[in-house]
Amino acid sequence: MKIKDIIKYIFYKIIDFQPFFYRFPIKIFNYNFQIHKNDVDPWPSFPHMHSIEDNLVLNIYTGEVYGKITRDCIGEARDKDMIKLWNDTKFLNIVIEARKNKPINVKELSKIPIEWLKEENLKLIKEYDEYY
């Protein structure tokens, strides 16, 4: 393992312990994405995820991946990756909490993609999110 890879590994482990980030453990669109628990920016969705390696942003409701600077859609995540994302308990709890406490600059919330949810997570959404 190269020194650069070891430093990246240690850095990512430190980020995982931060209370304001959650880094999804599986790559989406060949990138590592993380969700910022206190991100009030509503573009491209609220909440959304940022890639660690590049300036990419993931719309968590559609799977569309955008360039953060150009705001151009550069592709879509695979359905199987989005299913894994939406059925990750930590991620789902962060999304529910963010939607409950949405900032005033978020006019309306996107529909939750129920087709990506397993039955037990769909029940959780129905229980805690009035906008699903």
Coordinates of all heavy atoms in Angstrom, one line a residue, residues 69-129:
I69 N -19.8 22.5 -9.8 CA -19.5 23.9 -10.3 C -20.3 24.2 -11.5 O -20.9 25.2 -11.6 CB -18.0 24.0 -10.6 CG1 -17.2 23.8 -9.3 CG2 -17.7 25.3 -11.4 CD1 -15.7 23.7 -9.5
T70 N -20.4 23.3 -12.5 CA -21.2 23.5 -13.7 C -22.7 23.3 -13.6 O -23.5 23.8 -14.4 CB -20.7 22.6 -14.9 OG1 -21.0 21.2 -14.5 CG2 -19.2 22.8 -15.1
R71 N -23.1 22.5 -12.6 CA -24.5 22.1 -12.3 C -25.0 21.3 -13.5 O -26.3 21.2 -13.6 CB -25.3 23.3 -12.0 CG -25.0 23.9 -10.7 CD -26.0 24.9 -10.2 NE -25.7 25.3 -8.8 CZ -26.6 25.7 -8.0 NH1 -27.8 25.8 -8.3 NH2 -26.2 26.0 -6.7
D72 N -24.2 20.7 -14.3 CA -24.6 19.8 -15.4 C -24.8 18.4 -14.8 O -24.0 17.9 -14.1 CB -23.6 19.8 -16.5 CG -23.5 21.1 -17.2 OD1 -24.4 21.8 -17.2 OD2 -22.4 21.3 -17.8
C73 N -25.9 17.7 -15.3 CA -26.1 16.3 -14.9 C -25.1 15.5 -15.7 O -25.1 15.6 -17.0 CB -27.5 15.9 -15.2 SG -27.8 14.2 -14.7
I74 N -24.3 14.7 -15.1 CA -23.3 13.9 -15.8 C -23.6 12.5 -15.8 O -22.9 11.7 -16.4 CB -21.8 14.1 -15.2 CG1 -21.8 13.7 -13.8 CG2 -21.4 15.6 -15.3 CD1 -20.4 13.6 -13.2
G75 N -24.7 12.1 -15.2 CA -25.1 10.7 -15.2 C -26.0 10.3 -14.1 O -26.4 11.2 -13.3
E76 N -26.3 9.0 -14.0 CA -27.1 8.5 -12.9 C -26.5 7.3 -12.2 O -25.8 6.5 -12.8 CB -28.5 8.1 -13.5 CG -29.4 9.2 -13.8 CD -30.8 8.7 -14.2 OE1 -31.2 7.7 -13.7 OE2 -31.4 9.4 -15.0
A77 N -26.8 7.3 -10.9 CA -26.3 6.1 -10.1 C -27.1 4.9 -10.5 O -28.3 5.0 -11.0 CB -26.4 6.4 -8.6
R78 N -26.6 3.7 -10.3 CA -27.3 2.5 -10.6 C -28.4 2.3 -9.5 O -28.2 2.6 -8.4 CB -26.4 1.3 -10.6 CG -25.3 1.4 -11.6 CD -24.4 0.2 -11.6 NE -23.8 0.0 -10.3 CZ -23.0 -0.9 -9.9 NH1 -22.6 -1.8 -10.8 NH2 -22.5 -1.0 -8.7
D79 N -29.5 1.7 -10.0 CA -30.6 1.5 -9.1 C -30.1 0.6 -7.9 O -30.5 0.8 -6.7 CB -31.8 0.8 -9.8 CG -32.7 1.8 -10.5 OD1 -32.5 3.0 -10.3 OD2 -33.6 1.3 -11.2
K80 N -29.3 -0.4 -8.1 CA -28.9 -1.3 -7.0 C -28.1 -0.5 -6.0 O -28.2 -0.8 -4.8 CB -28.2 -2.5 -7.6 CG -26.7 -2.3 -8.0 CD -26.2 -3.7 -8.4 CE -24.7 -3.7 -8.2 NZ -24.1 -5.0 -8.4
D81 N -27.3 0.5 -6.4 CA -26.6 1.3 -5.4 C -27.5 2.2 -4.6 O -27.4 2.4 -3.4 CB -25.5 2.1 -6.1 CG -24.4 1.3 -6.7 OD1 -24.2 0.2 -6.2 OD2 -23.7 1.7 -7.6
M82 N -28.5 2.7 -5.3 CA -29.5 3.6 -4.6 C -30.4 2.8 -3.7 O -30.8 3.3 -2.6 CB -30.4 4.3 -5.7 CG -29.6 5.3 -6.5 SD -28.6 6.5 -5.6 CE -29.9 7.5 -4.9
I83 N -30.7 1.6 -4.0 CA -31.4 0.7 -3.1 C -30.6 0.4 -1.8 O -31.1 0.5 -0.7 CB -31.8 -0.6 -3.8 CG1 -32.9 -0.4 -4.9 CG2 -32.2 -1.7 -2.8 CD1 -33.1 -1.5 -5.8
K84 N -29.3 0.2 -2.0 CA -28.4 0.0 -0.8 C -28.3 1.3 0.0 O -28.4 1.2 1.2 CB -27.0 -0.4 -1.3 CG -26.9 -1.8 -1.8 CD -25.5 -2.1 -2.3 CE -25.5 -3.5 -2.9 NZ -24.2 -3.8 -3.6
L85 N -28.3 2.4 -0.7 CA -28.2 3.7 0.0 C -29.5 3.9 0.9 O -29.4 4.2 2.1 CB -28.0 4.8 -1.0 CG -28.0 6.2 -0.4 CD1 -26.8 6.5 0.5 CD2 -28.1 7.3 -1.5
W86 N -30.6 3.8 0.2 CA -31.9 4.1 0.9 C -32.2 3.0 2.0 O -33.1 3.3 2.8 CB -33.0 4.2 -0.1 CG -33.1 5.6 -0.6 CD1 -32.5 6.1 -1.7 CD2 -33.7 6.7 0.0 NE1 -32.7 7.4 -1.9 CE2 -33.4 7.8 -0.8 CE3 -34.4 6.9 1.2 CZ2 -33.9 9.1 -0.5 CZ3 -34.8 8.2 1.5 CH2 -34.6 9.2 0.7
N87 N -31.5 1.9 2.0 CA -31.8 0.9 3.0 C -30.7 0.8 4.1 O -30.6 -0.1 4.9 CB -32.1 -0.5 2.4 CG -33.4 -0.4 1.7 OD1 -34.4 -0.5 2.3 ND2 -33.4 -0.3 0.3
D88 N -29.8 1.8 4.0 CA -28.8 2.0 5.1 C -29.4 2.7 6.2 O -29.9 3.9 6.0 CB -27.6 2.8 4.5 CG -26.5 3.0 5.5 OD1 -26.6 3.9 6.3 OD2 -25.5 2.2 5.4
T89 N -29.4 2.2 7.4 CA -30.1 2.7 8.5 C -29.6 4.1 8.9 O -30.4 5.0 9.2 CB -30.0 1.8 9.8 OG1 -30.5 0.5 9.3 CG2 -30.9 2.2 10.9
K90 N -28.3 4.3 9.0 CA -27.7 5.6 9.3 C -28.2 6.7 8.3 O -28.6 7.8 8.7 CB -26.2 5.5 9.4 CG -25.7 4.8 10.6 CD -24.2 4.9 10.6 CE -23.6 4.2 11.8 NZ -22.1 4.2 11.9
F91 N -28.0 6.3 7.1 CA -28.4 7.3 6.0 C -29.9 7.7 6.2 O -30.3 8.8 6.2 CB -28.2 6.7 4.6 CG -28.8 7.5 3.5 CD1 -28.2 8.6 3.1 CD2 -30.0 7.1 3.0 CE1 -28.7 9.4 2.0 CE2 -30.6 7.8 1.9 CZ -29.9 9.0 1.5
L92 N -30.8 6.7 6.3 CA -32.2 6.9 6.4 C -32.6 7.8 7.6 O -33.4 8.7 7.5 CB -32.9 5.6 6.5 CG -34.4 5.6 6.2 CD1 -34.7 6.2 4.8 CD2 -35.0 4.2 6.3
N93 N -31.9 7.5 8.7 CA -32.2 8.4 9.9 C -31.7 9.8 9.7 O -32.4 10.7 10.2 CB -31.5 7.8 11.1 CG -32.2 6.5 11.6 OD1 -33.4 6.4 11.5 ND2 -31.5 5.6 12.2
I94 N -30.6 10.0 9.0 CA -30.2 11.4 8.7 C -31.2 12.1 7.8 O -31.5 13.2 8.0 CB -28.7 11.3 8.1 CG1 -27.7 10.9 9.2 CG2 -28.4 12.7 7.5 CD1 -26.4 10.6 8.6
V95 N -31.6 11.4 6.8 CA -32.6 12.0 5.9 C -33.9 12.3 6.6 O -34.4 13.4 6.4 CB -32.9 11.0 4.7 CG1 -34.0 11.5 3.9 CG2 -31.6 10.9 3.8
I96 N -34.4 11.4 7.4 CA -35.6 11.7 8.2 C -35.4 12.9 9.1 O -36.3 13.8 9.1 CB -36.0 10.5 9.0 CG1 -36.5 9.4 8.1 CG2 -37.1 10.8 10.0 CD1 -36.7 8.0 8.8
E97 N -34.3 13.0 9.8 CA -34.1 14.1 10.7 C -33.9 15.4 9.9 O -34.5 16.5 10.3 CB -32.8 13.8 11.5 CG -32.6 14.8 12.7 CD -33.7 14.7 13.7 OE1 -34.2 13.6 13.9 OE2 -34.0 15.7 14.3
A98 N -33.2 15.4 8.8 CA -33.0 16.6 8.0 C -34.4 17.1 7.4 O -34.6 18.3 7.4 CB -32.1 16.3 6.8
R99 N -35.2 16.2 7.0 CA -36.5 16.6 6.5 C -37.4 17.1 7.5 O -38.2 18.0 7.3 CB -37.2 15.4 5.8 CG -36.4 15.0 4.4 CD -36.9 13.7 3.9 NE -38.3 13.7 3.5 CZ -38.8 14.0 2.3 NH1 -37.9 14.3 1.3 NH2 -40.1 13.9 2.0
K100 N -37.3 16.6 8.8 CA -38.1 17.1 9.9 C -37.7 18.6 10.2 O -38.5 19.4 10.5 CB -37.9 16.3 11.1 CG -38.8 15.1 11.3 CD -38.6 14.6 12.7 CE -38.7 13.1 12.7 NZ -38.4 12.5 14.0
N101 N -36.4 18.9 10.1 CA -35.9 20.2 10.5 C -35.5 21.0 9.3 O -34.5 21.7 9.3 CB -34.7 20.0 11.4 CG -35.1 19.2 12.7 OD1 -36.1 19.5 13.3 ND2 -34.3 18.2 13.0
K102 N -36.2 20.9 8.2 CA -35.8 21.5 7.0 C -35.6 23.1 7.2 O -36.4 23.7 7.9 CB -36.7 21.2 5.8 CG -38.1 21.9 5.9 CD -38.9 21.5 4.7 CE -40.3 22.1 4.8 NZ -40.4 23.4 4.3
P103 N -34.6 23.6 6.6 CA -34.4 25.1 6.7 C -35.5 25.8 5.9 O -36.1 25.3 5.0 CB -33.0 25.3 6.1 CG -32.7 24.1 5.3 CD -33.5 23.0 5.8
I104 N -35.6 27.1 6.2 CA -36.7 27.9 5.6 C -36.4 28.1 4.1 O -37.4 28.4 3.3 CB -36.9 29.3 6.3 CG1 -35.6 30.1 6.3 CG2 -37.4 29.1 7.6 CD1 -35.7 31.5 6.8
N105 N -35.2 28.0 3.6 CA -34.9 28.2 2.2 C -35.4 26.9 1.3 O -35.4 27.0 0.1 CB -33.5 28.5 1.9 CG -32.5 27.4 2.2 OD1 -32.8 26.6 3.1 ND2 -31.4 27.3 1.5
V106 N -35.8 25.9 2.0 CA -36.3 24.7 1.3 C -37.8 24.8 1.2 O -38.5 24.7 2.2 CB -35.9 23.4 2.0 CG1 -36.6 22.2 1.3 CG2 -34.4 23.3 2.1
K107 N -38.3 25.1 0.0 CA -39.8 25.4 -0.2 C -40.6 24.1 -0.1 O -41.6 24.1 0.6 CB -40.0 26.1 -1.5 CG -39.3 27.4 -1.7 CD -39.7 28.4 -0.6 CE -39.0 29.7 -0.8 NZ -38.4 30.3 0.3
E108 N -40.2 23.1 -0.8 CA -40.9 21.8 -0.7 C -39.9 20.7 -0.7 O -38.8 20.8 -1.3 CB -41.9 21.7 -1.8 CG -41.4 21.7 -3.2 CD -42.4 21.6 -4.3 OE1 -43.2 22.6 -4.4 OE2 -42.5 20.6 -5.0
L109 N -40.3 19.6 -0.2 CA -39.5 18.4 -0.1 C -39.8 17.4 -1.2 O -41.0 17.3 -1.6 CB -39.7 17.7 1.2 CG -39.2 18.5 2.5 CD1 -39.7 17.8 3.7 CD2 -37.7 18.6 2.5
S110 N -38.8 16.8 -1.8 CA -39.0 15.8 -2.8 C -39.7 14.6 -2.3 O -39.6 14.2 -1.1 CB -37.6 15.4 -3.4 OG -37.0 16.5 -4.0
K111 N -40.3 13.8 -3.1 CA -41.0 12.6 -2.8 C -39.9 11.5 -2.5 O -38.9 11.5 -3.3 CB -41.9 12.1 -3.9 CG -43.1 12.9 -4.1 CD -44.2 12.5 -3.1 CE -45.5 13.2 -3.4 NZ -46.4 13.2 -2.3
I112 N -40.1 10.8 -1.5 CA -39.1 9.7 -1.2 C -39.3 8.6 -2.2 O -40.5 8.2 -2.4 CB -39.3 9.2 0.3 CG1 -38.8 10.3 1.2 CG2 -38.5 7.9 0.5 CD1 -38.9 10.1 2.7
P113 N -38.3 8.0 -2.7 CA -38.4 7.0 -3.7 C -38.7 5.6 -3.1 O -37.9 4.8 -2.8 CB -37.0 6.9 -4.4 CG -36.1 7.5 -3.4 CD -36.9 8.4 -2.6
I114 N -40.0 5.4 -2.8 CA -40.4 4.2 -2.1 C -40.1 2.9 -2.8 O -40.0 1.9 -2.2 CB -41.9 4.3 -1.7 CG1 -42.8 4.4 -3.0 CG2 -42.2 5.4 -0.8 CD1 -44.3 4.4 -2.7
E115 N -39.9 3.0 -4.1 CA -39.6 1.8 -4.9 C -38.2 1.3 -4.5 O -37.8 0.1 -4.8 CB -39.7 2.0 -6.4 CG -38.7 3.0 -7.0 CD -39.0 4.4 -6.9 OE1 -40.1 4.8 -6.3 OE2 -38.3 5.3 -7.4
W116 N -37.3 2.1 -3.9 CA -36.0 1.7 -3.5 C -36.0 1.2 -2.0 O -34.9 0.7 -1.5 CB -35.0 2.8 -3.6 CG -34.7 3.2 -5.0 CD1 -34.7 2.3 -6.1 CD2 -34.2 4.4 -5.5 NE1 -34.3 3.0 -7.2 CE2 -34.0 4.3 -6.9 CE3 -33.9 5.6 -4.9 CZ2 -33.5 5.3 -7.7 CZ3 -33.4 6.6 -5.7 CH2 -33.2 6.5 -7.1
L117 N -37.1 1.3 -1.3 CA -37.1 0.9 0.1 C -37.6 -0.5 0.4 O -38.5 -0.9 -0.2 CB -38.0 1.9 0.9 CG -37.5 3.3 1.0 CD1 -38.6 4.2 1.5 CD2 -36.3 3.4 1.9
K118 N -36.9 -1.1 1.3 CA -37.4 -2.4 1.8 C -38.6 -2.2 2.7 O -38.8 -1.1 3.2 CB -36.3 -3.2 2.6 CG -35.2 -3.6 1.7 CD -34.1 -4.3 2.5 CE -32.9 -4.7 1.7 NZ -31.8 -5.2 2.4
E119 N -39.4 -3.2 3.0 CA -40.6 -3.0 3.7 C -40.5 -2.4 5.1 O -41.2 -1.5 5.4 CB -41.3 -4.4 3.8 CG -42.7 -4.4 4.4 CD -43.7 -3.6 3.4 OE1 -43.5 -3.7 2.2 OE2 -44.6 -2.9 4.0
E120 N -39.5 -2.8 5.8 CA -39.3 -2.3 7.2 C -38.9 -0.8 7.2 O -39.3 0.0 8.0 CB -38.3 -3.1 8.0 CG -36.9 -3.1 7.5 CD -36.6 -4.3 6.5 OE1 -37.5 -5.0 6.1 OE2 -35.4 -4.5 6.3
N121 N -38.1 -0.4 6.1 CA -37.7 1.0 6.0 C -38.9 1.9 5.5 O -39.0 3.0 5.8 CB -36.5 1.1 5.1 CG -35.3 0.6 5.8 OD1 -35.2 0.5 7.0 ND2 -34.3 0.1 5.0
L122 N -39.7 1.3 4.7 CA -40.9 2.0 4.2 C -41.8 2.3 5.4 O -42.4 3.4 5.5 CB -41.6 1.1 3.1 CG -42.9 1.8 2.5 CD1 -42.5 3.1 1.9 CD2 -43.5 0.8 1.5
K123 N -42.0 1.3 6.3 CA -42.8 1.6 7.5 C -42.2 2.7 8.4 O -42.9 3.5 8.9 CB -42.8 0.3 8.4 CG -43.7 -0.8 7.8 CD -43.7 -2.0 8.6 CE -44.5 -3.2 7.9 NZ -44.4 -4.4 8.7
L124 N -40.8 2.7 8.5 CA -40.2 3.8 9.2 C -40.4 5.1 8.6 O -40.8 6.1 9.3 CB -38.7 3.5 9.3 CG -37.8 4.4 10.1 CD1 -38.1 4.3 11.6 CD2 -36.3 4.2 9.8
I125 N -40.4 5.2 7.3 CA -40.6 6.5 6.6 C -42.1 6.9 6.8 O -42.3 8.1 7.1 CB -40.3 6.3 5.1 CG1 -38.9 6.2 4.8 CG2 -41.0 7.5 4.3 CD1 -38.1 7.5 5.1
K126 N -43.0 6.0 6.7 CA -44.4 6.3 6.9 C -44.7 6.8 8.3 O -45.5 7.7 8.5 CB -45.3 5.1 6.5 CG -45.4 4.8 5.1 CD -46.3 3.6 4.8 CE -46.4 3.3 3.3 NZ -47.2 2.2 3.0
E127 N -43.9 6.3 9.2 CA -44.1 6.6 10.6 C -43.6 8.0 10.9 O -44.2 8.8 11.7 CB -43.5 5.6 11.5 CG -43.6 5.8 13.0 CD -43.0 4.7 13.8 OE1 -42.7 3.6 13.3 OE2 -42.7 5.0 15.0
Y128 N -42.4 8.4 10.4 CA -41.7 9.6 10.7 C -41.7 10.7 9.7 O -41.3 11.8 10.0 CB -40.3 9.3 11.1 CG -40.2 8.5 12.4 CD1 -39.8 7.1 12.3 CD2 -40.4 9.0 13.6 CE1 -39.7 6.4 13.5 CE2 -40.3 8.3 14.8 CZ -40.0 7.0 14.7 OH -39.9 6.2 15.9
D129 N -42.1 10.4 8.5 CA -42.0 11.5 7.5 C -43.4 11.7 6.9 O -43.9 10.9 6.2 CB -41.0 11.1 6.4 CG -40.7 12.2 5.5 OD1 -41.6 13.0 5.1 OD2 -39.5 12.3 5.1

